[in-house]
């Protein structure tokens, strides 16, 4: 652990008497940032303000019935849908100091539906030493972040959406924690404008029940396509065709789901595929991922690369080396296997860094460190390589902080989970995992996932 | 006509050597602004730059298959749908100096489908003395407009969405012409989160065919509800219930459409109405209007009132009296009967004003003028009053410019059109009107609107 207070660094916070940290986003990652700050007694010279567009915290775990834009005309942030269950075991994201057993008073199954995970997230925040809500400005959208060279600080322009008031505030540090699933990527396809049925991006998918008895075409071969195909099949779609660009998902699909190479064009309700086949479909769901975009950041502060487990230009996966004098951070902005625990340790590292607990390095050293990680990333071949890479990344952050190293034991759980999915995509959510921290084996759910239509906390937790 | 060049006004453009006009939006109103500018030989000391978010001009008349957000993650601007035909006679919006006969080389029916109107709009722009595309930056979103007190000018921050570059430019004048149909108003209703079917705002309605055989609930009692109810019925919806808050539309609906007092709550697929009745519905379409919002304008430049035929704080319905030293204009931002011609004469007045062709008035005089109009507006009782009010407003602008006064003859056409709708909502689009400018009576369409399923220009114009 490197905990040497670096005076030169502290003195750099020159023009403002206080260290003022701006956090953008109060989803799981922003919540970790606030949790760490609230628990660390940073002193009265360090302030934190978190801006959150939504009316409450929890980020993408909040479900809204609205699509497109919200009640204030802002693009809907969360693309959550009804009936979503975690697609990974909860043991892989369990907080070391607040386990699911701590939260529910008993062991619960490994794959929770959305309301259970949200409840757990919110429950953990109640364990803060100080009330973290005091730091948050809800229903407030950040419009623009600018670095002031002469003052070595940031001007953050934000709008309170309720009273439509726009204000600017100055901060010494900015932490961008807006997540990676908020701005849908909506590519076009020849003839799609002639398609006679409904077309939507997965971000606007709300309820599989809307597609009962329909013939669906899902464009994409990642998590959204995988889960929405299963959901729709489970909730009575007539059939689902998933179409892939690079490679098929390749799971042993239940009856009613198939994969075909990329759709080439549409002609009214007919879709034509690369293998020469065609199909009549009623609706098209674009599971084409998200834009990796930060439009509210000034040009020179904006992370511009593609999503990966280690984006270019970030020291320790967090500190932006492209501008802002080492006072701008992107947190939870990498492609993720680890989530809650990675956000925890990453934001703990950020807190420590801001408070000057690390020896300050030259830019060349930080770039060298970052570039070495990016080089290693480029050699990753499959999801198992990705899991090992991210496990090492989390382990390194644990070694630089006092975060519980056991969280990296999730590594073997992730590998097993991938094998479970390959074995049977319909039943992998019925598997049980043991908590890393309590060693308790999770119980089975009262019904297998395919036949579970009740997403309530009560049913999931049991009596 | 008041055409006295006012030196004091001209000299006020002090800190910048040129008059630089920023136009936000290249829909029908922004297009009028550019058309007027291009045709008026303003001199080399007057520049104009128009920022348009979409990839081309035509504003709300462009049809996209996307919903929610566009290819750049920006909220979709236009809420246009397939099969939309003008809901008012084209004779009410015909340009004096470029008639439909000029455009198509022959007389055409009075109620054109969308592609015909867009074609006409684009055709008129080709008649500019100078190529107006030179003034436009497409795919460029204005992020922030700020007035600089000390320099008496504006800083406009915009982002080119294609290359993701953000720049700032200074202007002496700003004309906001973003339209009034871009940011959907999406209120909530008790229990709506439990609704089991599709919920969408009219802004995201794309094709009535998506709702074939379905039972629909439309919330709202204005133009969107009126037209979407008819569309869906025409394209095979099982039935449509429109629900109203203030008063029913009250038309003699075709079979399959009915009106009920406001929905009070939802419970799964059941909707419960204020009159104690209930109904099972498959989809809910919120025809609840638009937010009247200009989030990219700085606080002190932002029009904040409700939509009406004469919004508060605008001199001659255009010049913003709330800030920006009489150099900020809101064009085409009033509730509209008149459209293309009103945009033409309004932006002509704005051009004249900017070029100093009017005697400059004291703020108190302008406020008095504006307030008198607002007071008159408050007394308006129905659509016929509104039509007369807006006719007088357009007539006044004609008298202040050299715009063709005959355009106000649309007044009697509007009154007749309202009566036609009251008489038969299903057939009002089959009526024929005579051009104000050519006196040619429009021919009938080859089939009545209810049985017309071909929206092409070719079929509409005929051989």
């Amino acid at each position: 652990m490197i905990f040497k207070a670096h005076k030169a660094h502290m003195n750099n916070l020159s023009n403002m008497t206080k260290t003022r940290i701006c956090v953008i986003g109060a989803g799981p990652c922003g919540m970790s940032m606030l949790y760490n700050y609230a628990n660390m007694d940073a002193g009265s010279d360090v302030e934190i303000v978190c801006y959150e567009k939504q009316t409450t915290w929890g980020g993408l775990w909040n479900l809204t019935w609205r699509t497109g834009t919200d009640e204030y005309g802002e693009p809907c942030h969360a693309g959550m849908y009804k009936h979503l269950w975690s697609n990974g075991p909860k043991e892989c994201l369990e907080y070391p100091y607040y386990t699911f057993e701590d939260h529910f008073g008993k062991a619960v199954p490994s794959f929770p539906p959305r309301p259970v995970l949200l409840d757990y997230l919110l429950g953990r925040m109640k364990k803060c030493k100080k009330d973290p809500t005091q730091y948050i400005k809800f229903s407030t959208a950040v419009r623009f972040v600018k670095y002031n060279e002469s003052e070595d600080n940031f001007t953050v322009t934000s709008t309170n959406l309720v009273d439509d008031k726009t204000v600017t505030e100055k901060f010494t540090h900015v932490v961008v924690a807006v997540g990676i699933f908020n701005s849908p990527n909506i590519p076009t396809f020849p003839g799609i404008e002639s398609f006679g049925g409904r077309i939507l991006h997965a971000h606007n998918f709300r309820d599989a029940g809307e597609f009962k008895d329909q013939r669906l075409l899902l464009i994409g071969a990642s998590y959204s396509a995988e889960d929405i195909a299963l959901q729709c099949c489970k909730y009575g779609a007539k059939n689902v065709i998933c179409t892939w660009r690079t490679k098929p998902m390749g799971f042993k699909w239940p009856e009613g789901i198939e994969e075909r190479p990329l759709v080439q064009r549409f002609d009214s309700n007919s879709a034509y595929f690369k293998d020469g086949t065609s199909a009549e479909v009623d609706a098209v769901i674009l599971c084409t991922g998200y834009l990796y975009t930060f439009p509210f950041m000034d040009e020179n502060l904006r992370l511009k690369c593609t999503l990966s487990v280690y984006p270019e230009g970030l020291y320790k996966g967090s500190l932006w080396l492209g501008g802002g004098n080492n006072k701008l951070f992107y947190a939870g902005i990498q492609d993720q296997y680890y989530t809650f625990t990675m956000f925890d340790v990453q934001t703990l590292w950020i807190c420590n860094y801001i408070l000057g607990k690390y020896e300050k390095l030259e830019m060349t050293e930080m770039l060298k460190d970052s570039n070495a990680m990016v080089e290693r990333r480029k050699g990753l071949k499959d999801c198992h390589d990705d899991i090992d890479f991210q496990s090492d990344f989390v382990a390194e952050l644990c070694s630089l902080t006092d975060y519980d190293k056991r969280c990296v034991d999730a590594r073997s759980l992730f590998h097993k989970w991938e094998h479970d999915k390959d074995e049977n995509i319909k039943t992998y959510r019925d598997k049980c995992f043991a908590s890393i921290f309590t060693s308790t084996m999770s119980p089975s759910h009262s019904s297998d996932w395919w036949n579970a239509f009740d997403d309530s906390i009560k049913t999931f937790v049991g009596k």
Side-chain angles (χ1 to χ4, degrees), chain A:
Chain A
M1 246 177 291
I2 311 167
F3 269 88
K4 302 174 195 164
H6 191 75
K7 279 184 187 168
H9 179 56
M10 293 300 280
N11 290 344
N12 263 347
L13 312 171
S14 53
N15 292 309
M16 293 174 70
T17 52
K18 287 190 174 188
T19 296
R20 299 199 75 227
I21 307 166
C22 167
V23 180
I24 308 176
C29 188
M31 289 163 84
S32 279
M33 182 73 196
L34 296 180
Y35 181 86
N36 283 316
Y37 172 82
N39 283 357
M40 78 189 331
D41 293 322
S44 60
D45 280 350
V46 185
E47 284 182 5
I48 197 164
V49 176
C50 176
Y51 297 100
E52 168 57 52
K53 240 179 76 164
Q54 297 189 103
T55 55
T56 184
W57 48 16
L60 83 171
W61 290 100
N62 287 296
L63 175 68
T64 173
W65 58 268
R66 288 181 177 87
T67 54
T69 46
D70 68 13
E71 61 268 51
Y72 303 110
E74 299 290 313
C76 282
H77 186 81
M80 186 52 65
Y81 43 89
K82 285 183 188 170
H83 318 311
L84 178 137
W85 295 52
S86 174
N87 65 347
K90 73 181 199 305
E91 288 74 13
C92 288
L93 55 70
E94 191 169 44
Y95 294 116
Y97 313 113
Y98 188 72
T99 65
F100 280 88
E101 268 188 86
D102 288 338
H103 182 72
F104 289 111
K106 62 188 290 195
V108 298
S110 283
F111 290 82
R114 181 195 70 83
V116 173
L117 273 175
L118 182 57
D119 198 63
Y120 174 65
L121 257 184
L122 301 178
R124 203 277 287 252
M125 291 308 277
K126 291 192 185 132
K127 298 293 169 184
C128 280
K129 281 189 194 162
K130 297 171 204 151
D131 175 17
T133 56
Q134 68 186 296
Y135 311 126
I136 308 193
K137 298 189 181 193
F138 288 120
S139 301
T140 303
V142 169
R143 297 292 183 213
F144 205 64
V145 178
K146 199 180 123 200
Y147 175 67
N148 309 303
E149 194 85 38
S150 60
E151 301 177 15
D152 188 24
N153 62 22
F154 299 87
T155 301
V156 176
T157 304
S158 66
T159 300
N160 180 314
L161 300 167
V162 178
D163 62 14
D164 198 20
K165 292 275 175 202
T166 298
V167 295
T168 60
E169 276 204 73
K170 293 213 169 166
F171 292 95
T172 54
H173 298 77
V174 172
V175 181
V176 180
V178 297
I180 54 177
F181 302 119
N182 52 65
S183 192
N185 173 44
I186 312 184
T188 190
F189 294 86
I192 197 165
E193 67 285 350
S194 80
F195 184 72
R198 181 176 175 191
I199 309 169
L200 68 160
H201 187 276
H203 193 65
N204 292 323
F205 177 83
R206 290 287 176 271
D207 189 341
E210 293 175 36
F211 300 93
K212 194 167 180 295
D213 298 326
Q214 294 192 22
R215 300 163 299 179
L216 302 181
L217 173 61
L218 270 54
I219 303 179
S222 188
Y223 295 112
S224 291
E226 172 193 314
D227 196 53
I228 290 174
L230 288 171
Q231 286 273 356
C232 287
C233 192
K234 178 175 164 179
Y235 280 85
K238 198 177 215 169
N239 69 281
V240 181
I241 300 169
C242 297
T243 179
W244 49 271
R245 182 188 300 274
T246 313
K247 59 173 187 170
M249 293 177 271
F251 297 113
K252 297 175 194 109
W253 296 106
E255 206 187 315
I257 303 177
E258 60 168 311
E259 295 193 73
R260 298 197 196 183
L262 193 61
V263 64
Q264 300 296 298
R265 65 182 175 93
F266 292 90
D267 184 1
S268 189
N269 280 65
S270 296
Y272 295 86
F273 301 92
K274 207 174 177 180
D275 61 3
T277 64
S278 67
E280 289 269 302
V281 295
D282 299 307
V284 175
I285 306 178
L286 291 137
C287 304
T288 41
Y290 286 83
L291 297 172
Y292 201 50
T293 178
F294 307 93
F296 50 87
M297 299 300 286
D298 198 4
E299 193 68 23
N300 59 339
L301 305 177
R302 210 183 298 164
L303 182 64
K304 284 190 183 187
C305 52
T306 52
L307 179 66
S308 74
V309 287
Y310 210 94
E312 283 88 345
L314 296 175
Y315 176 61
K316 301 302 174 199
S318 310
L319 175 64
W320 172 239
L321 301 175
N325 193 26
N326 303 332
K327 293 175 177 174
L328 169 63
F329 304 84
Y330 283 86
I333 226 72
Q334 42 279 101
D335 204 0
Q336 296 150 14
Y337 289 83
Y338 288 79
T339 53
F340 295 180
T341 51
M342 182 170 73
F343 304 150
D344 251 14
V345 69
Q346 192 180 8
T347 55
L348 183 56
W349 181 87
I350 292 170
C351 283
N352 286 345
Y353 188 94
I354 292 173
L355 296 178
K357 293 187 178 176
Y358 300 122
E359 194 171 3
K360 203 181 177 194
L361 299 179
E362 292 299 321
M363 179 59 82
T364 49
E365 289 176 84
M366 292 192 285
L367 272 172
K368 198 177 154 193
D369 185 285
S370 172
N371 290 342
M373 291 295 276
V374 170
E375 278 311 305
R376 186 183 153 196
R377 185 206 78 201
K378 288 177 181 168
L380 304 176
K381 287 189 192 63
D382 61 14
C383 61
H384 293 286
D385 283 0
D386 283 351
I387 289 164
D388 286 333
F389 179 92
Q390 196 155 76
S391 296
D392 292 348
F393 169 63
V394 172
E396 189 196 2
L397 291 178
C398 287
S399 77
L400 294 171
T401 60
D402 57 0
Y403 201 74
D404 195 322
K405 287 176 180 52
R406 290 177 298 165
C407 71
V408 185
D409 294 348
R411 181 196 302 253
S412 61
L413 277 52
F414 278 120
H415 286 305
K416 181 181 178 308
W417 161 73
E418 292 282 10
H419 288 302
D420 289 344
K421 284 175 67 177
D422 285 339
E423 202 177 276
N424 193 331
I425 192 71
K426 198 171 147 179
T427 63
Y428 80 90
R429 283 187 173 100
D430 304 327
K431 300 284 180 184
C432 299
F433 291 77
S435 166
I436 293 169
F437 310 108
T438 69
S439 298
T440 311
M441 179 57 73
S442 79
S444 289
H445 190 262
S446 55
S447 69
D448 57 283
W449 176 74
W450 191 258
N451 294 300
F453 293 92
D454 178 351
D455 314 332
S456 68
I457 296 176
K458 197 179 158 193
T459 296
F460 183 78
V461 174
K463 281 176 193 166

